[in-house]
Amino acid sequence: MADTSVKNFIDLVKKSRRGKLKIYIGMSAGVGKTYRMLQEAHALLKNNIDVQIGYIETHNRAETHALLAGLPLIDRRKTFYKGKELEEMDLQAILNRHPEVVIVDELAHSNIEGSKNSKRWQDVRDILEAGISVITALNVQHLESLNEEIQDITGIPITERVPDKILEIADEIVNIDLTADELIDRLKEGKIYDKAKVETALQNFFRNDKILQLREIALKEVAHHLERKIDIEVPKQIKLRPEKFLACISSNAETAKIVIRKTARLASYYRSQWIVLYVQSSSESLDRIKLDKQRHLINNFKLATELGAELIKIKSDAITQTIMKVAEEKEVTTICIGKPHLNLWQVILRTAIFNELLNKIALTETDLVILS
């Protein structure tokens, strides 16, 4: 017991030494996240806080650029990549300089090959661990679990992504909110992109219907963060059973991806642990399924781990019994499965498993969620 209490105390000490994290989140480029971060940097300076600009991207927006005047800046690291000189945030210089607060823009940015970390959010984690507070910015479409939902809205693939757990460690999240009309006006005035790009942007990303949907997603995201914060910080008089989700996947890549992402969202809302379970039946053994299916399966395992799941792989042909056994052992409250793609043979083959699962669940206090 003594060892556990010592470890808990060390964790507490480390946590108190860790820098604070503030994230400005927005529904799209151009809402004013960078502008607000720079305004905050000026306010901190006036209050004698040692603040430095670690990385800022003004996109040559005149109002934003003007705010850089008078702010202390840590020089970027110049590096050659594929014959071009490129600039990256200088993580080591920030750690050496060790200001109280550092401003780091573009949280979803991917670093150049050969950098210490492949992603800027990992740099931010290192800065926080060193006891430096960070103010950063993020567009909502870069959140891993929202990625496909937003791609469906915008029609634009988003390659740079940030795991949702970065929001969970944030001490403060601020939504920079504009109406669709205000955002479109800013675009037309040339405050977001060069005039030459405005017409294309209006026809593609910056359409009223798309902006409204993105705005709703961003508002919901921040509201959920606030709920989580209240849950943690306001003591509960009644101890409710803690939620624990079990996502059951097969080698069907598309369904598995949906089940993983949607269960990650649920777990995030409830601030709860979750598990991804893959029961490998003999028909899905590696010598029987095609290589591309194997590759998709491995990618889905990776996705689950990145989104914070505990991954369990079990070989068994008794699928229902295995699911129920894991659910019981892990004290799962909700089992999540994909909607079966039903054709006649699958109805005949799978109904038995499905019915058995329903009957077993009916005897317990476990919920079943079928994700479409």
Side-chain angles (χ1 to χ4, degrees), residues 62-77:
E63 293 171 356
T64 310
H65 209 81
L67 276 177
L68 273 174
L71 291 176
L73 198 79
I74 290 172
D75 289 333
R76 295 182 187 184
R77 174 172 66 88

Side-chain angles (χ1 to χ4, degrees), residues 26-224:
M27 59 182 159
S28 79
V31 292
K33 299 179 299 296
T34 304
Y35 188 84
R36 281 285 291 275
M37 287 198 298
L38 292 175
Q39 277 185 322
E40 186 164 356
H42 279 287
L44 290 168
L45 266 184
K46 273 187 190 145
N47 285 283
N48 299 318
I49 302 283
D50 176 18
V51 62
Q52 292 276 333
I53 305 294
Y55 189 95
I56 209 81
E57 194 55 76
T58 64
H59 296 286
N60 295 322
R61 293 169 191 153
E63 293 171 356
T64 310
H65 209 81
L67 276 177
L68 273 174
L71 291 176
L73 198 79
I74 290 172
D75 289 333
R76 295 182 187 184
R77 174 172 66 88
K78 288 186 170 58
T79 182
F80 275 93
Y81 183 66
K82 294 188 174 171
K84 283 185 190 164
E85 187 181 60
L86 299 172
E87 292 184 336
E88 279 288 16
M89 181 175 83
D90 195 333
L91 173 62
Q92 198 51 54
I94 291 168
L95 296 175
N96 294 347
R97 169 64 181 74
H98 210 283
E100 283 177 77
V101 180
V102 69
I103 309 283
V104 177
D105 209 348
E106 310 258 334
L107 187 62
H109 171 80
S110 297
N111 294 331
I112 296 165
E113 261 181 63
S115 303
K116 177 182 181 274
N117 298 310
S118 59
K119 295 282 189 179
R120 186 166 290 157
W121 66 263
Q122 294 167 322
D123 291 341
V124 163
R125 199 179 49 193
D126 287 354
I127 294 167
L128 293 169
E129 291 297 326
I132 302 165
S133 292
V134 176
I135 299 169
T136 188
L138 175 71
N139 285 335
V140 75
Q141 67 260 35
H142 292 292
L143 277 177
E144 178 64 69
S145 69
L146 290 171
N147 182 255
E148 284 189 355
E149 192 181 333
I150 289 176
Q151 194 169 309
D152 289 344
I153 295 167
T154 62
I156 300 164
I158 298 135
T159 50
E160 294 188 318
R161 306 203 282 266
V162 169
D164 293 48
K165 64 177 176 243
I166 205 87
L167 288 193
E168 285 166 29
I169 64 164
D171 299 281
E172 201 178 336
I173 296 179
V174 179
N175 183 33
I176 306 291
D177 187 38
L178 289 179
T179 65
D181 290 344
E182 284 170 328
L183 187 62
I184 289 166
D185 285 347
R186 285 183 61 104
L187 181 72
K188 286 175 178 171
E189 288 162 13
K191 289 181 176 177
I192 300 175
Y193 299 130
D194 294 338
K195 294 270 192 210
K197 291 183 184 173
V198 168
E199 211 42 56
T200 316
L202 282 169
Q203 285 164 16
N204 297 320
F205 190 91
F206 286 82
R207 287 204 341 238
N208 218 300
D209 56 331
K210 292 182 180 183
I211 293 167
L212 284 172
Q213 288 178 79
L214 293 174
R215 187 182 181 201
E216 185 190 2
I217 288 170
L219 289 166
K220 273 184 183 168
E221 195 53 51
V222 177
H224 287 308

Side-chain angles (χ1 to χ4, degrees), residues 248-253 255-256 277-279 284 297 300-301 350:
C248 302
I249 65 165
S250 71
S251 62
N252 180 322
T255 307
L277 172 65
Y278 170 59
V279 183
E284 288 199 339
L297 192 59
N300 281 332
F301 291 158
R350 291 194 177 177

Side-chain angles (χ1 to χ4, degrees), residues 295-358:
R295 195 172 65 248
H296 288 312
L297 192 59
I298 289 161
N299 285 342
N300 281 332
F301 291 158
K302 189 164 170 267
L303 176 67
T305 313
E306 280 172 1
L307 287 172
E310 176 192 344
L311 183 62
I312 298 175
K313 295 180 254 186
I314 296 172
K315 287 183 182 179
S316 171
D317 284 323
I319 294 171
T320 304
Q321 287 87 335
T322 307
I323 291 171
M324 293 311 296
K325 187 166 178 278
V326 170
E328 194 181 339
E329 283 172 5
K330 295 284 184 179
E331 297 178 337
V332 164
T333 58
T334 305
I335 295 171
C336 301
I337 62 171
K339 186 164 72 175
H341 296 286
L342 296 175
N343 62 33
L344 185 63
W345 281 110
Q346 283 175 319
V347 171
I348 294 162
L349 293 170
R350 291 194 177 177
T351 307
I353 291 176
F354 191 63
N355 284 344
E356 199 181 338
L357 188 61
L358 285 178

